[in-house]
Amino acid sequence: MKKLILCLLGIVLLGTVTVLRPMREQEKIVQKAPQDPILEKIRAMTPAQKAGQLMLVGMEGTEPGKAFTKEMQENQYGGVILFDSNLVSAEQTKQLTGKLQSLSRENRLLIGVDEEGGQVARMKGFVEPPPSEAAIGRTGDPQQAQQWAEKTAGRLKALGFNLNLAPVADIGSANERSYSRSAAAVSRFVEGALAGYRKAHLLACLKHFPGLGKGKADTHVDEVTVDTDRDTLLQEDVKPFQDAMNQFPQETFAVMVTHVRYPALDAENPASLSKAVMTDLLRDRLQYRGIVMTDDLGMGAVSKHVTMEQAGVQAVKAGADLVMICHNPEWIREVHQGLTKAIEDGTLPEKRVEEALYRVLEAKREL
């Protein structure tokens, strides 16, 4: 009987060892599994570098000056937006974008431009501007939007750009900056444009969420309020953005949020500083997972009412992944200082910062 019991115990022990061995081996496999390289990169960054990656900045002149070069190298800005004041010829533009990329040692740089078409087009002296969105819309053919987007994207890529702040998805905007006054028509043309940018492998940017077509003033100057009820905003102005999100991989385009105030969505803040707009509506309700960026924080609608240090922090805290500051080097420094301090002291939660940085770095990896 004792021998039988001993035999049974031996079998049980042998089985236990057999079961535990593969479990331990599996644990080793898990421990040795490669870490997410994007997360590793984020966690190796200093607070100043994290803050820099959350910014899309402008520069002065036709080549990087000493101060800008130093700040680019130290702060590792996420991207640069260029204007006609920076761009003289095709050759100079290509050299400039190359220099800018060389300053971004650790991460590829987003280099953007506003090449919407019509009145809003850069480099007209050496790049054929697209027709205005209204002119394309009047053709009644969304294929025209696709063809022009693909053509424009090819020209921009040849000059070193990887981001175009277009197409405009607003309904009935002034100055020919909208495909149509019909939400359904705007959706069709926006989808055509996104198809063209995607085919050319250039990051597009839908703007100006949640739609500023009903705005009657200019956010460059001061506050603009749209007193439209929530249901109308969702059924009309938001529709082209929502349709695009349903039709295309969301990593293929960013969404720019306007500085317009929508009391039906947020009674206190402009959209670009609003959690109700960027997180509750855009992220949670519409399930958008790509890059959310602000319009230029230097516009009067923001700069006349909030300090630059506060503006950058409030925007990121509310849900922005990239904050744009197009002009004024001092404002760029102030935004950077505000973000750096907020990351260091926890005003910007680590999770929120990592989410934003992850989207930005992931988009760059695909370009």
Side-chain angles (χ1 to χ4, degrees), residues 50-63:
K50 289 178 179 179
Q53 281 295 306
L54 298 173
M55 298 170 64
L56 183 71
V57 305
M59 60 165 272
E60 296 182 322
T62 55
E63 62 178 58

mmCIF file with all atom_site columns, all heavy atoms in Angstrom, residues 50-63:
data_model
loop_
_atom_site.group_PDB
_atom_site.id
_atom_site.type_symbol
_atom_site.label_atom_id
_atom_site.label_alt_id
_atom_site.label_comp_id
_atom_site.label_asym_id
_atom_site.label_entity_id
_atom_site.label_seq_id
_atom_site.pdbx_PDB_ins_code
_atom_site.Cartn_x
_atom_site.Cartn_y
_atom_site.Cartn_z
_atom_site.occupancy
_atom_site.B_iso_or_equiv
_atom_site.pdbx_formal_charge
_atom_site.auth_seq_id
_atom_site.auth_comp_id
_atom_site.auth_asym_id
_atom_site.auth_atom_id
_atom_site.pdbx_PDB_model_num
ATOM 1  N N   . LYS A 1 50 ? 9.130  66.091 -25.078 1.00 0.00 ? 50 LYS A N   1
ATOM 2  C CA  . LYS A 1 50 ? 7.717  65.716 -25.197 1.00 0.00 ? 50 LYS A CA  1
ATOM 3  C C   . LYS A 1 50 ? 6.886  66.937 -25.575 1.00 0.00 ? 50 LYS A C   1
ATOM 4  O O   . LYS A 1 50 ? 6.026  66.863 -26.460 1.00 0.00 ? 50 LYS A O   1
ATOM 5  C CB  . LYS A 1 50 ? 7.220  65.113 -23.886 1.00 0.00 ? 50 LYS A CB  1
ATOM 6  C CG  . LYS A 1 50 ? 7.776  63.737 -23.576 1.00 0.00 ? 50 LYS A CG  1
ATOM 7  C CD  . LYS A 1 50 ? 7.261  63.217 -22.229 1.00 0.00 ? 50 LYS A CD  1
ATOM 8  C CE  . LYS A 1 50 ? 7.819  61.830 -21.939 1.00 0.00 ? 50 LYS A CE  1
ATOM 9  N NZ  . LYS A 1 50 ? 7.358  61.305 -20.626 1.00 0.00 ? 50 LYS A NZ  1
ATOM 10 N N   . ALA A 1 51 ? 7.138  68.042 -24.894 1.00 0.00 ? 51 ALA A N   1
ATOM 11 C CA  . ALA A 1 51 ? 6.414  69.278 -25.194 1.00 0.00 ? 51 ALA A CA  1
ATOM 12 C C   . ALA A 1 51 ? 6.646  69.691 -26.647 1.00 0.00 ? 51 ALA A C   1
ATOM 13 O O   . ALA A 1 51 ? 5.712  70.082 -27.357 1.00 0.00 ? 51 ALA A O   1
ATOM 14 C CB  . ALA A 1 51 ? 6.858  70.388 -24.247 1.00 0.00 ? 51 ALA A CB  1
ATOM 15 N N   . GLY A 1 52 ? 7.887  69.591 -27.102 1.00 0.00 ? 52 GLY A N   1
ATOM 16 C CA  . GLY A 1 52 ? 8.202  69.971 -28.468 1.00 0.00 ? 52 GLY A CA  1
ATOM 17 C C   . GLY A 1 52 ? 7.471  69.140 -29.495 1.00 0.00 ? 52 GLY A C   1
ATOM 18 O O   . GLY A 1 52 ? 6.972  69.661 -30.511 1.00 0.00 ? 52 GLY A O   1
ATOM 19 N N   . GLN A 1 53 ? 7.376  67.833 -29.263 1.00 0.00 ? 53 GLN A N   1
ATOM 20 C CA  . GLN A 1 53 ? 6.703  66.949 -30.202 1.00 0.00 ? 53 GLN A CA  1
ATOM 21 C C   . GLN A 1 53 ? 5.212  67.239 -30.313 1.00 0.00 ? 53 GLN A C   1
ATOM 22 O O   . GLN A 1 53 ? 4.571  66.839 -31.282 1.00 0.00 ? 53 GLN A O   1
ATOM 23 C CB  . GLN A 1 53 ? 6.921  65.489 -29.802 1.00 0.00 ? 53 GLN A CB  1
ATOM 24 C CG  . GLN A 1 53 ? 8.270  64.927 -30.191 1.00 0.00 ? 53 GLN A CG  1
ATOM 25 C CD  . GLN A 1 53 ? 8.469  64.857 -31.689 1.00 0.00 ? 53 GLN A CD  1
ATOM 26 O OE1 . GLN A 1 53 ? 7.654  64.286 -32.415 1.00 0.00 ? 53 GLN A OE1 1
ATOM 27 N NE2 . GLN A 1 53 ? 9.541  65.443 -32.169 1.00 0.00 ? 53 GLN A NE2 1
ATOM 28 N N   . LEU A 1 54 ? 4.654  67.948 -29.342 1.00 0.00 ? 54 LEU A N   1
ATOM 29 C CA  . LEU A 1 54 ? 3.235  68.291 -29.369 1.00 0.00 ? 54 LEU A CA  1
ATOM 30 C C   . LEU A 1 54 ? 2.965  69.597 -30.116 1.00 0.00 ? 54 LEU A C   1
ATOM 31 O O   . LEU A 1 54 ? 1.837  70.079 -30.114 1.00 0.00 ? 54 LEU A O   1
ATOM 32 C CB  . LEU A 1 54 ? 2.706  68.423 -27.930 1.00 0.00 ? 54 LEU A CB  1
ATOM 33 C CG  . LEU A 1 54 ? 2.769  67.164 -27.060 1.00 0.00 ? 54 LEU A CG  1
ATOM 34 C CD1 . LEU A 1 54 ? 2.370  67.486 -25.627 1.00 0.00 ? 54 LEU A CD1 1
ATOM 35 C CD2 . LEU A 1 54 ? 1.885  66.069 -27.629 1.00 0.00 ? 54 LEU A CD2 1
ATOM 36 N N   . MET A 1 55 ? 4.008  70.136 -30.777 1.00 0.00 ? 55 MET A N   1
ATOM 37 C CA  . MET A 1 55 ? 3.879  71.452 -31.401 1.00 0.00 ? 55 MET A CA  1
ATOM 38 C C   . MET A 1 55 ? 4.192  71.429 -32.897 1.00 0.00 ? 55 MET A C   1
ATOM 39 O O   . MET A 1 55 ? 5.131  70.773 -33.326 1.00 0.00 ? 55 MET A O   1
ATOM 40 C CB  . MET A 1 55 ? 4.823  72.441 -30.701 1.00 0.00 ? 55 MET A CB  1
ATOM 41 C CG  . MET A 1 55 ? 4.511  72.656 -29.232 1.00 0.00 ? 55 MET A CG  1
ATOM 42 S SD  . MET A 1 55 ? 5.817  73.596 -28.362 1.00 0.00 ? 55 MET A SD  1
ATOM 43 C CE  . MET A 1 55 ? 5.733  75.180 -29.225 1.00 0.00 ? 55 MET A CE  1
ATOM 44 N N   . LEU A 1 56 ? 3.386  72.179 -33.653 1.00 0.00 ? 56 LEU A N   1
ATOM 45 C CA  . LEU A 1 56 ? 3.640  72.446 -35.072 1.00 0.00 ? 56 LEU A CA  1
ATOM 46 C C   . LEU A 1 56 ? 3.886  73.941 -35.166 1.00 0.00 ? 56 LEU A C   1
ATOM 47 O O   . LEU A 1 56 ? 2.992  74.745 -34.893 1.00 0.00 ? 56 LEU A O   1
ATOM 48 C CB  . LEU A 1 56 ? 2.433  72.039 -35.920 1.00 0.00 ? 56 LEU A CB  1
ATOM 49 C CG  . LEU A 1 56 ? 2.558  72.190 -37.433 1.00 0.00 ? 56 LEU A CG  1
ATOM 50 C CD1 . LEU A 1 56 ? 3.514  71.141 -37.989 1.00 0.00 ? 56 LEU A CD1 1
ATOM 51 C CD2 . LEU A 1 56 ? 1.199  72.034 -38.104 1.00 0.00 ? 56 LEU A CD2 1
ATOM 52 N N   . VAL A 1 57 ? 5.106  74.337 -35.523 1.00 0.00 ? 57 VAL A N   1
ATOM 53 C CA  . VAL A 1 57 ? 5.519  75.732 -35.379 1.00 0.00 ? 57 VAL A CA  1
ATOM 54 C C   . VAL A 1 57 ? 5.892  76.367 -36.719 1.00 0.00 ? 57 VAL A C   1
ATOM 55 O O   . VAL A 1 57 ? 6.274  75.671 -37.667 1.00 0.00 ? 57 VAL A O   1
ATOM 56 C CB  . VAL A 1 57 ? 6.715  75.859 -34.406 1.00 0.00 ? 57 VAL A CB  1
ATOM 57 C CG1 . VAL A 1 57 ? 6.387  75.223 -33.062 1.00 0.00 ? 57 VAL A CG1 1
ATOM 58 C CG2 . VAL A 1 57 ? 7.986  75.228 -34.989 1.00 0.00 ? 57 VAL A CG2 1
ATOM 59 N N   . GLY A 1 58 ? 5.793  77.687 -36.762 1.00 0.00 ? 58 GLY A N   1
ATOM 60 C CA  . GLY A 1 58 ? 6.271  78.442 -37.904 1.00 0.00 ? 58 GLY A CA  1
ATOM 61 C C   . GLY A 1 58 ? 7.698  78.896 -37.688 1.00 0.00 ? 58 GLY A C   1
ATOM 62 O O   . GLY A 1 58 ? 8.253  78.763 -36.595 1.00 0.00 ? 58 GLY A O   1
ATOM 63 N N   . MET A 1 59 ? 8.322  79.415 -38.729 1.00 0.00 ? 59 MET A N   1
ATOM 64 C CA  . MET A 1 59 ? 9.682  79.939 -38.622 1.00 0.00 ? 59 MET A CA  1
ATOM 65 C C   . MET A 1 59 ? 9.792  81.225 -39.433 1.00 0.00 ? 59 MET A C   1
ATOM 66 O O   . MET A 1 59 ? 8.988  81.474 -40.332 1.00 0.00 ? 59 MET A O   1
ATOM 67 C CB  . MET A 1 59 ? 10.724 78.921 -39.100 1.00 0.00 ? 59 MET A CB  1
ATOM 68 C CG  . MET A 1 59 ? 10.585 78.491 -40.551 1.00 0.00 ? 59 MET A CG  1
ATOM 69 S SD  . MET A 1 59 ? 12.050 77.646 -41.201 1.00 0.00 ? 59 MET A SD  1
ATOM 70 C CE  . MET A 1 59 ? 12.991 79.064 -41.794 1.00 0.00 ? 59 MET A CE  1
ATOM 71 N N   . GLU A 1 60 ? 10.783 82.037 -39.111 1.00 0.00 ? 60 GLU A N   1
ATOM 72 C CA  . GLU A 1 60 ? 11.009 83.283 -39.830 1.00 0.00 ? 60 GLU A CA  1
ATOM 73 C C   . GLU A 1 60 ? 12.103 83.093 -40.869 1.00 0.00 ? 60 GLU A C   1
ATOM 74 O O   . GLU A 1 60 ? 13.069 82.364 -40.638 1.00 0.00 ? 60 GLU A O   1
ATOM 75 C CB  . GLU A 1 60 ? 11.409 84.384 -38.856 1.00 0.00 ? 60 GLU A CB  1
ATOM 76 C CG  . GLU A 1 60 ? 10.316 84.737 -37.855 1.00 0.00 ? 60 GLU A CG  1
ATOM 77 C CD  . GLU A 1 60 ? 10.735 85.864 -36.927 1.00 0.00 ? 60 GLU A CD  1
ATOM 78 O OE1 . GLU A 1 60 ? 11.917 85.906 -36.532 1.00 0.00 ? 60 GLU A OE1 1
ATOM 79 O OE2 . GLU A 1 60 ? 9.883  86.713 -36.604 1.00 0.00 ? 60 GLU A OE2 1
ATOM 80 N N   . GLY A 1 61 ? 11.946 83.750 -42.018 1.00 0.00 ? 61 GLY A N   1
ATOM 81 C CA  . GLY A 1 61 ? 13.004 83.726 -43.018 1.00 0.00 ? 61 GLY A CA  1
ATOM 82 C C   . GLY A 1 61 ? 12.957 82.530 -43.950 1.00 0.00 ? 61 GLY A C   1
ATOM 83 O O   . GLY A 1 61 ? 12.086 81.665 -43.868 1.00 0.00 ? 61 GLY A O   1
ATOM 84 N N   . THR A 1 62 ? 13.944 82.513 -44.853 1.00 0.00 ? 62 THR A N   1
ATOM 85 C CA  . THR A 1 62 ? 13.983 81.475 -45.881 1.00 0.00 ? 62 THR A CA  1
ATOM 86 C C   . THR A 1 62 ? 14.931 80.326 -45.540 1.00 0.00 ? 62 THR A C   1
ATOM 87 O O   . THR A 1 62 ? 15.084 79.401 -46.334 1.00 0.00 ? 62 THR A O   1
ATOM 88 C CB  . THR A 1 62 ? 14.406 82.089 -47.229 1.00 0.00 ? 62 THR A CB  1
ATOM 89 O OG1 . THR A 1 62 ? 15.660 82.772 -47.059 1.00 0.00 ? 62 THR A OG1 1
ATOM 90 C CG2 . THR A 1 62 ? 13.354 83.082 -47.719 1.00 0.00 ? 62 THR A CG2 1
ATOM 91 N N   . GLU A 1 63 ? 15.552 80.408 -44.376 1.00 0.00 ? 63 GLU A N   1
ATOM 92 C CA  . GLU A 1 63 ? 16.323 79.272 -43.875 1.00 0.00 ? 63 GLU A CA  1
ATOM 93 C C   . GLU A 1 63 ? 16.384 79.362 -42.355 1.00 0.00 ? 63 GLU A C   1
ATOM 94 O O   . GLU A 1 63 ? 16.195 80.441 -41.784 1.00 0.00 ? 63 GLU A O   1
ATOM 95 C CB  . GLU A 1 63 ? 17.736 79.226 -44.468 1.00 0.00 ? 63 GLU A CB  1
ATOM 96 C CG  . GLU A 1 63 ? 18.604 80.412 -44.151 1.00 0.00 ? 63 GLU A CG  1
ATOM 97 C CD  . GLU A 1 63 ? 19.992 80.231 -44.752 1.00 0.00 ? 63 GLU A CD  1
ATOM 98 O OE1 . GLU A 1 63 ? 20.092 80.062 -45.987 1.00 0.00 ? 63 GLU A OE1 1
ATOM 99 O OE2 . GLU A 1 63 ? 20.968 80.272 -43.979 1.00 0.00 ? 63 GLU A OE2 1
#
